[in-house]
């Protein structure tokens, strides 16, 4: 019956509301780094404990003006994850040799120095935005190098 369907939906919603998760992970769509991200989160014992938001450039995609149309979607999803999953942290994972960083860089020479500057700017922007919008949310910033090493910022 419709009544029992409604009841089971409400029960499953209530179960979800009682669950508590650790974080949302903001990472890039680049296929080369998916296994690195997965392994990193597994090592941190976060498997099954985070919501995922994957977008070109990770922090660059949600902070740089070249991708302005994407920003609201990210913050809406983050707000939803805070509400539904009771997350307390945003884990940001950018990577070197990023196509979105190249787009953000524009016509300037795309050197490692310029790319790192773009990553650092995206990190400081996202930290500022989160502090303003979700003051209680912790932010962890990570950058993956080409040899798959992860550096915290």
């Amino acid at each position: 019956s419709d009544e029992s369907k409604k009841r089971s939906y409400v029960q499953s919603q209530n179960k979800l509301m009682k669950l508590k998760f650790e974080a949302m992970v903001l990472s890039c769509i680049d296929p080369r780094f998916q296994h690195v991200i997965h392994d990193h989160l597994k090592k941190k014992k976060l498997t099954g404990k985070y919501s995922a938001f994957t977008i070109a450039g990770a922090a660059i995609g949600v902070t740089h003006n070249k991708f302005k149309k994407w920003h609201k979607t990210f913050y809406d999803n983050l707000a939803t994850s805070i509400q539904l999953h009771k997350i307390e942290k945003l884990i940001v994972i950018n990577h070197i040799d990023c196509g979105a960083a190249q787009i953000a860089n524009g016509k300037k020479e795309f050197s490692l120095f310029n790319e790192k500057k773009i990553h650092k700017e995206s990190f400081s922007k996202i930290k500022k935005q989160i502090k303003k919008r979700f003051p209680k949310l912790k932010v962890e910033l990570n950058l993956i190098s080409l040899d798959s090493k992860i550096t915290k910022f």
Side-chain angles (χ1 to χ4, degrees), residues 3 11 13 31 36 40 46 52 67-68 75 96 116 141 149:
E3 203 47 52
Q11 285 167 344
Q13 286 303 102
V36 180
H40 173 68
L46 286 172
F67 309 104
K68 212 168 182 49
Y75 286 107
I96 288 299
K116 280 192 169 166
L141 306 165
K149 289 201 170 46

Side-chain angles (χ1 to χ4, degrees), residues 95-109:
H95 69 85
I96 288 299
D97 194 35
C98 180
Q102 211 164 349
I103 292 167
N105 189 58
K107 291 192 178 14
K108 293 188 293 292
E109 183 211 347

Side-chain angles (χ1 to χ4, degrees), residues 8 10 20-21 34-35 38 42 45 52 59-61 66 70 79 84 88 103 113 116 126 132 142:
S8 81
V10 169
K20 202 183 149 326
F21 298 92
Q34 299 309 315
H35 70 283
H38 175 80
K42 194 173 168 181
K45 301 196 181 341
I60 296 164
K66 290 228 165 116
W70 301 353
L84 292 179
E88 292 177 7
I103 292 167
F113 177 81
K116 280 192 169 166
I126 200 163
K132 200 171 84 182
N142 303 277

Side-chain angles (χ1 to χ4, degrees), residues 14-15 17 22 29-30 49 51 55 59 70 74 83 85-86 99 121 129 136 144:
N14 287 342
K15 273 185 200 137
M17 300 308 274
E22 302 279 322
I29 62 172
D30 193 316
K49 295 180 183 170
S51 57
I55 195 165
W70 301 353
F74 166 68
Q83 186 188 338
H85 309 134
K86 313 286 185 268
E121 282 167 6
Q129 283 288 336
K136 287 192 203 117
I144 307 174

Side-chain angles (χ1 to χ4, degrees), residues 23-133:
M24 175 184 267
V25 175
L26 169 63
S27 61
C28 185
I29 62 172
D30 193 316
R32 296 172 298 166
F33 296 94
Q34 299 309 315
H35 70 283
V36 180
I37 294 163
H38 175 80
D39 294 349
H40 173 68
L41 296 168
K42 194 173 168 181
K43 224 179 273 163
K44 291 177 64 127
K45 301 196 181 341
L46 286 172
T47 305
K49 295 180 183 170
Y50 64 89
S51 57
F53 193 90
T54 308
I55 195 165
I60 296 164
V62 302
T63 59
H64 199 279
N65 279 341
K66 290 228 165 116
F67 309 104
K68 212 168 182 49
K69 284 186 178 151
W70 301 353
H71 301 183
K72 184 184 184 314
T73 304
F74 166 68
Y75 286 107
D76 289 350
N77 276 266
L78 180 57
T80 302
S81 191
I82 291 169
Q83 186 188 338
L84 292 179
H85 309 134
K86 313 286 185 268
I87 60 164
E88 292 177 7
K89 187 195 275 185
L90 175 67
I91 300 171
V92 179
I93 308 176
N94 283 21
H95 69 85
I96 288 299
D97 194 35
C98 180
Q102 211 164 349
I103 292 167
N105 189 58
K107 291 192 178 14
K108 293 188 293 292
E109 183 211 347
F110 190 59
S111 63
L112 186 60
F113 177 81
N114 284 347
E115 183 180 5
K116 280 192 169 166
K117 210 172 106 183
I118 290 164
H119 286 290
K120 285 176 186 163
E121 282 167 6
S122 79
F123 287 160
S124 85
K125 275 186 194 167
I126 200 163
K127 251 180 125 163
K128 216 181 284 172
Q129 283 288 336
I130 297 296
K131 206 180 183 79
K132 200 171 84 182
R133 295 170 189 238

